[in-house]
Amino acid sequence: MYPLIEIQTVPIEIEMKVNHAKLEYTRGTADLEISRGDGGLSIKSRPIKLNIDTFEARNSISPTAIRSVEQNAQRGQQAAYSATATYAQQGQLLLNAKIGEDMITKFAADSQTFNQVKELGLTFLPSTGPEITWDPGELQIRYEMDKLNFDWKVNHPQFEFTPGDIEISVTQQPDVIIKYVGGPLYVPPSSDPNYEPVDVQA
């Protein structure tokens, strides 16, 4: 007698993949940019400036119309004052005169009248010199040295952490395979071509 059924089991298959944690380091870099700023030398010079004003000197020789009128008015005023003083002095002499006294001799001997006779019309031209002024000279020197500019660009080091993980995958599901390994069954059994009757002894 042999078995008619064959049972076969298929186990489960599991695949496990482990990724370890990683810490990655990126090295920092540094860039340097150098630029140059040009200096220079500048010199600024201003010479002495001489200012000559000859307005008054020219007016003393050939005065303008306004200045001529002003000078004549001053001379007329001065002449009026002098004449008034002279007439007053002469009138005082006449008031103090005595009968028979020679007044002409007194008038001639009077100092004011004598001074008027001595005055002469001499004058130096121009009567006023030019007005001279000056501005001092100036010298400015400016020197600036060349400049070097350093520009650092630093990239700091960086750390990157990758956490670990576990991947589990089922590549084969569990299974049970039942297989019939016997021959065909005939109903009734006598229909089996290989049927052999069973001897039954009483």
Side-chain angles (χ1 to χ4, degrees):
M1 189 83 184
Y2 55 86
L4 298 178
I5 296 175
E6 181 180 345
I7 300 175
Q8 182 181 1
T9 61
V10 178
I12 187 172
E13 291 185 4
I14 298 174
E15 182 179 352
M16 181 180 297
K17 184 178 180 181
V18 179
N19 295 322
H20 299 284
K22 293 186 297 182
L23 179 63
E24 297 179 353
Y25 169 73
T26 303
R27 179 176 297 178
T29 59
D31 298 331
L32 173 62
E33 294 183 0
I34 301 176
S35 61
R36 180 176 180 178
D38 296 334
L41 174 65
S42 62
I43 300 176
K44 182 179 179 182
S45 175
R46 187 181 67 184
I48 296 176
K49 183 179 180 181
L50 182 64
N51 304 315
I52 301 177
D53 187 2
T54 60
F55 180 77
E56 296 296 336
R58 286 185 286 106
N59 274 334
S60 65
I61 299 175
S62 177
T64 61
I66 298 176
R67 183 60 62 87
S68 179
V69 171
E70 183 179 352
Q71 290 176 354
N72 291 332
Q74 290 179 355
R75 284 196 291 267
Q77 187 177 7
Q78 186 64 33
Y81 289 157
S82 299
T84 301
T86 301
Y87 291 148
Q89 186 176 4
Q90 291 177 357
Q92 188 66 29
L93 291 176
L94 291 174
L95 288 175
N96 296 329
K98 297 180 181 179
I99 298 174
E101 187 177 5
D102 187 7
M103 298 303 299
I104 296 176
T105 304
K106 283 190 175 185
F107 287 159
D110 183 54
S111 60
Q112 183 67 25
T113 306
F114 181 71
N115 289 335
Q116 290 178 357
V117 175
K118 289 194 304 179
E119 288 180 359
L120 301 176
L122 296 178
T123 184
F124 292 97
L125 295 177
S127 60
T128 303
E131 183 179 354
I132 299 176
T133 59
W134 67 89
D135 297 332
E138 183 179 359
L139 178 64
Q140 293 181 355
I141 300 177
R142 181 179 179 182
Y143 173 72
E144 186 175 355
M145 298 179 62
D146 294 347
K147 296 180 180 178
L148 288 178
N149 302 317
F150 298 90
D151 187 8
W152 287 93
K153 296 181 179 179
V154 179
N155 295 324
H156 298 285
Q158 296 180 356
F159 294 89
E160 183 178 355
F161 176 73
T162 304
D165 61 351
I166 299 176
E167 296 180 4
I168 298 176
S169 59
V170 178
T171 59
Q172 180 176 310
Q173 297 289 340
D175 195 4
V176 176
I177 300 174
I178 300 175
K179 187 176 180 181
Y180 177 74
V181 294
L185 297 177
Y186 293 94
V187 178
S190 58
S191 60
D192 185 0
N194 297 321
Y195 177 75
E196 295 179 358
V198 178
D199 292 337
V200 177
Q201 294 180 1

